[in-house]
């Protein structure tokens, strides 16, 4: 816990919930991954890699494994050759989407229009 000085009194602030939430989405690509899967509902690995642009295979693979381990994504593998893997949001992942939507709204309202 951290202390917050407010109106001359020291008040305890519980940072644990915030720290937990940030730990789930911390990393350069996690929010981007969640955004694309939210918008497209189901994405195969190659589609996700293409949507993200210049993310490396190792980074994408690591971030997907972490999101799956944190129960934000569902990974579905189909037993075929070549292997087919699809990613979608888990129920827990869906609960994060209002936060992502608010970030998108804030970005739209506060971004600088470079064409002006």
């Amino acid at each position: 816990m951290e202390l917050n000085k407010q109106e001359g009194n020291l008040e305890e602030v519980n940072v644990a919930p915030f720290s937990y939430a940030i730990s789930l989405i911390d990393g350069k690509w996690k929010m981007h991954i969640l955004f694309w899967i939210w918008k497209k509902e189901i994405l195969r690995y190659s589609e996700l890699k293409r949507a993200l642009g210049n993310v490396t295979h190792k980074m994408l693979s690591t971030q997907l494994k972490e999101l799956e381990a944190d129960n934000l994504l569902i990974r579905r593998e189909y037993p075929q050759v070549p292997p087919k893997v699809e990613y979608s949001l888990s129920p827990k992942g869906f609960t994060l989407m209002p936060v992502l939507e608010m970030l998108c709204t804030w970005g739209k309202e506060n971004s600088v229009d470079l064409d002006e």
Side-chain angles (χ1 to χ4, degrees), residues 88-100:
S88 59
L89 291 174
S90 69
K92 183 177 178 179
F94 273 110
T95 65
L96 190 56
M97 292 309 102
V99 176
L100 192 58

Side-chain angles (χ1 to χ4, degrees), residues 8-26:
N9 297 325
L10 292 179
E11 177 185 321
E12 287 188 14
V13 176
N14 182 1
V15 299
F18 175 77
S19 295
Y20 171 72
I22 292 300
S23 75
L24 295 181
I25 58 173
D26 191 27

Side-chain angles (χ1 to χ4, degrees), residues 16-66:
F18 175 77
S19 295
Y20 171 72
I22 292 300
S23 75
L24 295 181
I25 58 173
D26 191 27
K28 182 176 179 180
W29 296 101
K30 286 184 180 178
M31 291 296 282
H32 294 273
I33 291 167
L34 291 169
F35 173 84
W36 280 107
I37 294 174
W38 172 45
K39 291 299 183 180
K40 299 294 184 179
E41 295 181 14
I42 295 174
L43 280 175
R44 294 178 67 178
Y45 181 91
S46 59
E47 294 170 324
L48 190 52
K49 188 164 182 350
R50 191 170 31 256
L52 294 172
N54 49 345
V55 63
T56 65
H57 166 73
K58 181 177 175 25
M59 179 59 74
L60 179 56
S61 180
T62 300
Q63 301 274 275
L64 285 168
K65 285 177 185 172
E66 290 176 10

Side-chain angles (χ1 to χ4, degrees), residues 100-113:
L100 192 58
E101 189 167 24
M102 289 180 75
L103 280 171
C104 291
T105 300
W106 185 90
K108 185 177 181 181
E109 292 172 354
N110 291 281
S111 64
V112 177
D113 189 354

